[in-house]
Amino acid sequence: DLSNDGLSVYPNPSTDGLVAIETAEDIPNAEVSVYTLSGQLVFEQTVPSFNERKFINLSNIPHGSYIIRIKADGYKATRRIVVNQ
C-alpha cells in the first residue's frame, strides 16, 4: 500500500511472534528495529535487500505493543504491531 509509505507488516496482531515485512520497492541495506512504546530497543536486524517478503521472529520478546522501524538510505517508515503469544 503506497499510502502507508509502501510498508506492510503482518499479521497484526501476531499470535506466534513471527512477523512478515514487505516493502513496495526494493530497499537495499535496511535496518529493521523493534522498540517498546517507551523507546527501548528489543530487536535489531539488517536486511541486505527488501526484494521480497522478509520474516522476523519476535517470539522471544514479551507480549505487548511495539513499534517496528525500517530505515535505509532515503527511506524510513514505522508501524505499530501487537505481539500476543
Side-chain angles (χ1 to χ4, degrees):
D1 183 358
L2 296 177
S3 67
N4 285 329
D5 301 319
L7 175 64
S8 295
V9 179
Y10 58 92
N12 191 7
S14 173
T15 57
D16 60 5
L18 294 179
V19 177
I21 302 172
E22 286 186 273
T23 58
E25 298 178 23
D26 292 348
I27 300 173
N29 299 318
E31 180 182 288
V32 178
S33 305
V34 179
Y35 297 90
T36 65
L37 296 184
S38 63
Q40 179 184 8
L41 179 67
V42 294
F43 176 89
E44 190 171 48
Q45 176 179 329
T46 300
V47 175
S49 179
F50 264 109
N51 57 355
E52 62 185 5
R53 179 183 311 141
K54 303 295 182 183
F55 292 91
I56 60 172
N57 185 347
L58 301 177
S59 62
N60 61 339
I61 65 174
H63 69 278
S65 294
Y66 295 91
I67 302 294
I68 293 181
R69 181 183 74 177
I70 311 299
K71 184 178 173 187
D73 190 33
Y75 181 85
K76 182 169 63 170
T78 60
R79 291 288 173 275
R80 187 171 178 163
I81 189 163
V82 175
V83 177
N84 291 330
Q85 346 173 26

